[in-house]
Amino acid sequence: DVERIAITVTIYEAQERGQNFGQVSNAYVRLARRSSENDSVGTEELRYDLGEDFSVETALVVCELYRSGATWKFNAVGAGYQGGLYALCKAYGVNV
């Protein structure tokens, strides 16, 4: 029944702490394929460097995996949101 999976990153209590992704250096998101249940590292399939481009954003959509017919496809997104997880959920139509 799943049509889309969004890979997201947020800063916990960013507004209360006065933090945003512009203050984070050398951060990245990594998606890896495990070869077995015992593989704790996996083979890197995707790496998205966050950089310091998101100077006011507190939530990011890094990428999406989506169903196209019988296959799954990948879409790099790199969209930032002010307002943290709440703003991100609202953008995706999730009631919070």
Side-chain angles (χ1 to χ4, degrees), residues 30-36 39-46:
R30 176 181 179 268
L31 294 180
R33 180 184 310 263
R34 293 176 14 174
S35 60
S36 70
D39 182 0
S40 62
V41 177
T43 302
E44 190 170 284
E45 297 288 330
L46 165 79

Side-chain angles (χ1 to χ4, degrees), residues 16-73:
E16 294 82 359
R17 298 176 184 193
Q19 296 174 332
N20 59 58
F21 280 108
Q23 298 167 317
V24 178
S25 60
N26 301 321
Y28 61 91
V29 174
R30 176 181 179 268
L31 294 180
R33 180 184 310 263
R34 293 176 14 174
S35 60
S36 70
E37 288 185 25
N38 298 325
D39 182 0
S40 62
V41 177
T43 302
E44 190 170 284
E45 297 288 330
L46 165 79
R47 181 182 175 114
Y48 184 85
D49 291 311
L50 298 179
E52 297 175 13
D53 298 334
F54 301 102
S55 61
V56 296
E57 289 83 354
T58 56
L60 302 173
V61 176
V62 177
C63 64
E64 294 176 331
L65 302 170
Y66 65 95
R67 192 179 299 218
S68 177
T71 62
W72 285 91
K73 295 194 175 187

